[in-house]
Amino acid sequence: MVYVIAYLTAHAGKGDDVVALAAPLIDATRKEEGYISYDLYRKPAEPDSLVFVETWKSRAALDVHFAEPHLKTFKAAMADLLVEARVEVVHPEKIEVI
């Protein structure tokens, strides 16, 4: 298994927009082969700080996810909404930052 932790910081007041745009992404991702869990969380005191926490059966399954049109659409929509994004892929032996 591999885990993904994606930290997103939206521009001030844009956290709700990110959550709304993430809904179709989350629905589509949960139908993918290799998906185990895929959840989006917000910090209650910082509504523009969001974190995706994901679990995948393998790095190969994650690679397929990265190529999916629904993820590409989400990433394009986020271009003007995010101040910062950091994605960590956690393997048993290492952490990749992408």
Side-chain angles (χ1 to χ4, degrees):
M1 276 191 293
V2 295
Y3 306 92
V4 176
I5 304 170
Y7 304 92
L8 308 177
T9 304
H11 287 284
K14 297 296 182 181
D16 288 340
D17 295 340
V18 174
V19 170
L21 289 167
L25 166 70
I26 293 166
D27 288 341
T29 298
R30 289 179 174 164
K31 297 173 185 156
E32 291 181 41
E33 184 70 31
Y35 147 86
I36 295 173
S37 68
Y38 196 86
D39 298 295
L40 178 61
Y41 300 95
R42 288 172 95 169
K43 293 184 178 181
E46 298 174 43
D48 297 320
S49 294
L50 304 104
V51 179
F52 276 100
V53 179
E54 312 168 24
T55 307
W56 294 90
K57 289 183 181 177
S58 67
R59 181 62 160 102
L62 179 59
D63 289 341
V64 170
H65 170 65
F66 285 156
E68 289 288 346
H70 49 266
L71 181 60
K72 290 179 180 182
T73 298
F74 177 76
K75 288 172 115 179
M78 293 300 97
D80 294 332
L81 295 177
L82 298 181
V83 174
E84 183 178 18
R86 177 185 169 95
V87 179
E88 297 177 356
V89 180
V90 181
H91 302 261
E93 72 282 356
K94 66 179 178 179
I95 296 175
E96 291 177 68
V97 177
I98 55 174

